[in-house]
Amino acid sequence: MEIDIIMDDSIYSSMSNGRAKGMRLKKLPTIQIGRGKCDDVEIDTMCLFNPLQHILSALKTAAKHQNTSQTRQLHACIVKVGFEGFLPLLNSLLNAYSKCSSLEDALQLFNEITPRDPFTWSSLLSLLTRSNLSQVAVTLFSTSFSFDKIQPDGHIYASLLNACANLLSSKQGKQIHAQFVISYFCDDDVVKSALVDMYSKCHTPDDARKVFDTIRIKNSISLTAMVYGYSLNGRHLEAIQIFKEMPFKSLPSWTALISGFVQHGNGINALKFFKKMRFEVIHIEDPFVICSVVGASATLASLALGKQLHCLVILLGYESSIFVSNALVDMYAKCSDIFASRQVFDNINGRDVVSWTAMIVGAAQHGWAEVALGLFDKMVFEGLTPNEVTFVGLIYACSHKGLVDKGRQLFNSMTSDYGIKPSLQHYTCLLDLLSRSGLLQEAKDVIMGMPFDPDEATWGALLSACKREGDVCMGIEIADHLLSLNPQEPSTYILLSNTYASACMWDQVAKVRKLISVMPVSKVPGYSWVELGMESYMFCAGELMHPMKDEILRLLEEIMEKMKERGYVPDTSSVLHDLEQQEKQEQLFLHSERLAVALGLLKATPGSAIRVVKNLRVCGDCHTVLKLISDIVSREIIVRDTNRFHHFKDGICSCNDFW
DNA sequence: GTTCCGAACA
């Protein structure tokens, strides 16, 4: 039975990436066999001996060098010589197209091959997976594979599991696992390595470990997959233990350990092992590990470290790597140096959608909404297709600048012009856009109409907007709803308490306070750190144990006097504890970002910007204080909180008090 | 055939 996979609309509707959309789905062009180029392939003399052997060998070479034109020429030769009916040769040809990532050629050939064997299928499945069409691979296997009446072999199971890992779909992965364990190939260690990888990436490291323990001969690949599984999922001790036991530590093994740490947010451990790796003089033959550690410095917001890594990138000759450049754009933006980010971006040759998106998101988070929108226009003008992340950045940019109409238009254009289905993130951005601009009813309509269940953060965003707009009535309605959801975030409780207090609903205020006191999770302490050249210093809220404690306090008191002269009155509404007003003000005085800024003012290079990072959102009072400080001491203060960047300069903030 | 890389909102 002929399977016309290219005509299946249900499969293509599941394609969600730009590459897939760019493909002509219905009618693929026919390859023009023997377009005069055939004779370029030097087979004449060899044909006299063993043409089959020669073409097979030439196909292997073409696959190895990912040479599409050579593969097409060999395809022409196969037709010309009359070997079209020889399945192993066609499979090698398909494999070569697959290795060249020549999707259209491969799909057309696949449709022409009949009958197909497991080799034919595994070549196609691995190509689809590598082409970001993992869901197509899995769907094809479940819908069309049985038509060919063949049993999947180890290669097919491995490719399919790779696809499930890409999709982070343990549900589909488990179904394939179930088929595998009752198959003839159930002892195949390569498939088991693929299973370890799939479960690791799907965040079930214990499932990965169960399979890992059944692998008879553990090689570098299976060990690396398990190391990654543990480090990615925060099981750092187990990751390090297996890593240490590895008889041979290849670059991918180091990369797996380090990138797992980074992805789990453990930048410190990542850098510790990167240092060890450098110490062991491991040859860095690919840039993956560099991307990871650049990402670690972005997470840690350490500009000094990021700059050192940028130097290493140049030293190792990876400046031209698009992956590395994109990571640098993101790193500089996250380390608060948006100008350096822009400089790296401007120097990239052949920017891809990730380069543009990283720059758009960076610009948006630094309050450069117009720049972000301008970059988008330029990106589209240059022929690049934005993806779902690009739109998150764009709507976010509009949201933080109050550009309601533009934001709405982008939200609609995402679906109508680019066929991207809005995710919960997009709805959250839209909701944020509307509510920040006071369009509370429209924001509520968005929540009620979206095809996702709103969570605590979604309702919280709307509630904080109600508070800002003074809509007590809707605020109470939402607060009642939120309270019934048993919220977990301490900030939600502050919001609830303030909402009820503003409506003089003291019974409800008491109820919220009682809930706080029995909350199972204690409040995360606020901390901030300031970078001072190659060093940084971290302060916890309310704690001042620094050797320069007295100078810090003196400076803050001096500044406080000047602020009061300008009419500053502390806003204690963000202090959760049941304290007297005086005590609340004292708490605010010792908020970690103020201590960090004070140390920065005392120790940073005179005139340089003070860069502070905070683990929570900047509270309203600190925001006012930092604006005033920037004016009083005439210094730029850049604070990265969990939400965005604030550039305080001359008494104003780049966020326009929208954050 | 299976391992390592970049961009996200509240």
Side-chain angles (χ1 to χ4, degrees):
Chain A
M1 181 177 176
E2 183 68 17
I3 307 162
D4 190 3
I5 63 157
I6 57 167
M7 300 301 281
D8 189 332
D9 283 340
S10 67
I11 289 167
Y12 283 102
S13 66
S14 68
M15 295 178 177
S16 61
N17 66 69
R19 179 172 184 168
K21 287 190 198 78
M23 222 171 64
R24 272 170 288 172
L25 304 181
K26 298 274 175 170
K27 289 285 175 194
L28 293 176
T30 312
I31 301 172
Q32 294 299 311
I33 304 291
R35 281 178 292 192
K37 283 268 182 182
C38 169
D39 295 337
D40 296 348
V41 183
E42 294 171 4
I43 61 164
D44 303 31
T45 49
M46 287 300 289
C47 281
L48 297 173
F49 301 102
N50 190 344
L52 193 66
Q53 203 61 44
H54 175 71
I55 297 175
L56 275 170
S57 149
L59 279 170
K60 267 189 188 170
T61 311
K64 193 178 165 190
H65 296 118
Q66 301 184 340
N67 187 335
T68 310
S69 65
Q70 178 108 42
T71 306
R72 283 183 177 153
Q73 287 167 26
L74 288 161
H75 189 169
C77 285
I78 290 167
V79 176
K80 200 170 180 182
V81 179
F83 284 156
E84 282 169 295
F86 189 54
L87 186 59
L89 194 58
L90 295 180
N91 282 339
S92 287
L93 179 63
L94 182 65
N95 183 50
Y97 277 137
S98 165
K99 290 285 180 337
C100 298
S101 297
S102 187
L103 193 59
E104 292 192 11
D105 291 319
L107 280 177
Q108 181 165 4
L109 178 64
F110 179 84
N111 281 322
E112 286 167 6
I113 296 176
T114 178
R116 306 177 187 111
D117 68 2
F119 195 101
T120 325
W121 273 94
S122 69
S123 289
L124 180 80
L125 294 175
S126 63
L127 168 67
L128 290 171
T129 304
R130 275 188 288 110
S131 307
N132 260 333
L133 295 168
S134 297
Q135 189 55 59
V136 179
V138 177
T139 311
L140 258 184
F141 174 72
S142 56
T143 55
S144 308
F145 186 81
S146 56
F147 292 148
D148 278 356
K149 294 190 174 59
I150 46 175
Q151 289 300 313
D153 65 1
H155 292 244
I156 287 173
Y157 283 122
S159 296
L160 285 169
L161 289 165
N162 193 6
C164 296
N166 281 350
L167 295 166
L168 302 178
S169 170
S170 59
K171 192 180 167 194
Q172 294 178 106
K174 274 184 180 163
Q175 287 172 355
I176 290 161
H177 188 177
Q179 289 188 48
F180 166 69
V181 291
I182 54 167
S183 77
Y184 178 76
F185 303 95
C186 61
D187 284 329
D188 191 322
D189 281 349
V190 172
V191 179
K192 288 181 184 174
S193 291
L195 277 165
V196 172
D197 176 56
M198 184 275 294
Y199 284 124
S200 296
K201 286 179 180 159
C202 292
H203 304 291
T204 51
D206 291 324
D207 289 335
R209 182 62 194 242
K210 278 181 202 155
V211 179
F212 178 76
D213 286 337
T214 69
I215 297 177
R216 286 164 306 171
I217 301 168
K218 296 177 176 68
N219 63 9
S220 176
I221 292 173
S222 48
L223 285 160
T224 300
M226 197 62 244
V227 165
Y228 185 60
Y230 279 136
S231 66
L232 176 70
N233 293 293
R235 306 269 287 266
H236 296 162
L237 292 177
E238 286 144 301
I240 293 167
Q241 193 187 347
I242 294 182
F243 182 74
K244 280 187 176 161
E245 287 168 6
M246 285 178 82
F248 171 70
K249 296 172 179 65
S250 63
L251 178 66
S253 322
W254 283 96
T255 311
L257 181 74
I258 292 168
S259 69
F261 286 148
V262 177
Q263 285 165 48
H264 192 258
N266 190 339
I268 301 286
N269 244 355
L271 292 162
K272 192 174 130 193
F273 275 88
F274 181 66
K275 207 171 152 187
K276 277 189 184 178
M277 188 190 121
R278 294 289 289 156
F279 205 66
E280 293 197 12
V281 203
I282 304 291
H283 178 53
I284 303 182
E285 61 201 6
D286 65 49
F288 296 167
V289 74
I290 300 290
C291 290
S292 286
V293 284
V294 169
S297 54
T299 310
L300 295 168
S302 171
L303 185 60
L305 178 70
K307 281 181 179 170
Q308 283 188 56
L309 289 168
H310 193 171
C311 291
L312 184 64
V313 165
I314 296 166
L315 199 74
L316 294 172
Y318 284 126
E319 254 182 310
S320 58
S321 157
I322 188 79
F323 289 126
V324 174
S325 301
N326 292 348
L328 286 170
V329 169
D330 180 53
M331 179 277 291
Y332 277 118
K334 289 210 168 85
C335 291
S336 81
D337 195 343
I338 189 70
F339 295 99
S341 172
R342 184 64 199 252
Q343 206 174 1
V344 175
F345 175 80
D346 286 341
N347 286 326
I348 299 176
N349 273 327
R351 298 177 198 111
D352 64 7
V353 62
V354 176
S355 328
W356 287 95
T357 303
M359 194 67 244
I360 287 170
V361 170
Q365 290 188 329
H366 282 270
W368 290 5
E370 292 80 6
V371 173
L373 295 170
L375 283 164
F376 174 65
D377 290 341
K378 208 167 166 208
M379 167 188 177
V380 174
F381 182 75
E382 290 192 9
L384 276 109
T385 310
N387 64 20
E388 61 282 5
V389 184
T390 321
F391 281 100
V392 169
L394 290 167
I395 303 168
Y396 175 94
C398 294
S399 167
H400 284 252
K401 258 290 174 4
L403 306 172
V404 184
D405 290 339
K406 184 70 185 170
R408 264 204 215 103
Q409 181 220 319
L410 284 163
F411 185 86
N412 294 330
S413 150
M414 179 168 66
T415 313
S416 59
D417 296 335
Y418 299 99
I420 301 169
K421 208 173 143 193
S423 67
L424 179 59
Q425 278 95 331
H426 296 109
Y427 279 103
T428 309
C429 287
L430 179 68
L431 155 82
D432 193 49
L433 168 81
L434 298 168
S435 59
R436 274 172 196 276
S437 303
L439 301 168
L440 297 180
Q441 191 55 51
E442 198 180 336
K444 194 181 166 198
D445 292 345
V446 166
I447 291 193
M448 303 311 280
M450 67 185 189
F452 300 97
D453 287 333
D455 59 7
E456 182 183 335
T458 321
W459 286 116
L462 188 55
L463 181 55
S464 58
C466 291
K467 185 180 159 236
R468 202 167 43 232
E469 295 296 319
D471 190 332
V472 180
C473 198
M474 189 191 282
I476 291 165
E477 191 190 326
I478 293 166
D480 289 345
H481 186 79
L482 198 50
L483 199 56
S484 70
L485 289 177
N486 188 22
Q488 300 295 310
E489 283 293 318
S491 59
T492 304
Y493 284 94
I494 297 177
L495 209 54
L496 287 170
S497 171
N498 288 339
T499 304
Y500 290 127
S502 61
C504 301
M505 296 169 71
W506 305 114
D507 289 352
Q508 287 296 83
V509 173
K511 188 177 167 186
V512 172
R513 282 173 183 266
K514 198 174 170 191
L515 284 169
I516 296 167
S517 63
V518 295
M519 259 177 76
V521 186
S522 62
K523 192 185 170 192
V524 181
Y527 57 85
S528 301
W529 68 95
V530 59
E531 206 170 69
L532 302 161
M534 297 301 289
E535 292 176 0
S536 61
Y537 195 89
M538 192 174 90
F539 292 91
C540 274
E543 277 181 23
L544 188 49
M545 308 213 280
H546 193 271
M548 292 175 71
K549 178 183 174 182
D550 294 340
E551 289 99 316
I552 291 171
L553 284 176
R554 205 177 308 128
L555 178 64
L556 284 175
E557 277 162 10
E558 278 172 29
I559 292 173
M560 181 61 86
E561 285 308 311
K562 288 183 184 162
M563 290 196 304
K564 282 182 179 163
E565 285 167 18
R566 295 178 183 215
Y568 161 72
V569 179
D571 170 13
T572 54
S573 64
S574 63
V575 181
L576 184 64
H577 308 285
D578 214 352
L579 302 170
E580 291 302 318
Q581 192 65 9
Q582 181 62 30
E583 287 174 293
K584 283 187 178 180
Q585 288 187 17
E586 281 165 14
Q587 277 215 351
L588 285 176
F589 190 76
L590 292 177
H591 266 187
S592 60
E593 54 270 53
R594 300 186 195 194
L595 303 174
V597 166
L599 182 66
L601 289 171
L602 290 167
K603 284 195 76 178
T605 313
S608 64
I610 311 288
R611 295 172 200 276
V612 169
V613 183
K614 190 176 180 195
N615 70 327
L616 303 172
R617 274 179 75 175
V618 175
C619 81
D621 189 59
C622 283
H623 196 263
T624 308
V625 166
L626 293 173
K627 281 197 292 185
L628 286 165
I629 294 179
S630 74
D631 198 30
I632 290 167
V633 300
S634 300
R635 281 287 273 281
E636 186 178 7
I637 299 166
I638 307 170
V639 179
R640 168 179 139 176
D641 70 6
T642 46
N643 212 24
R644 58 165 296 146
F645 287 87
H646 303 264
H647 292 248
F648 299 98
K649 202 177 174 187
D650 303 328
I652 52 173
C653 178
S654 60
C655 77
N656 287 329
D657 303 339
F658 254 4
W659 82 99

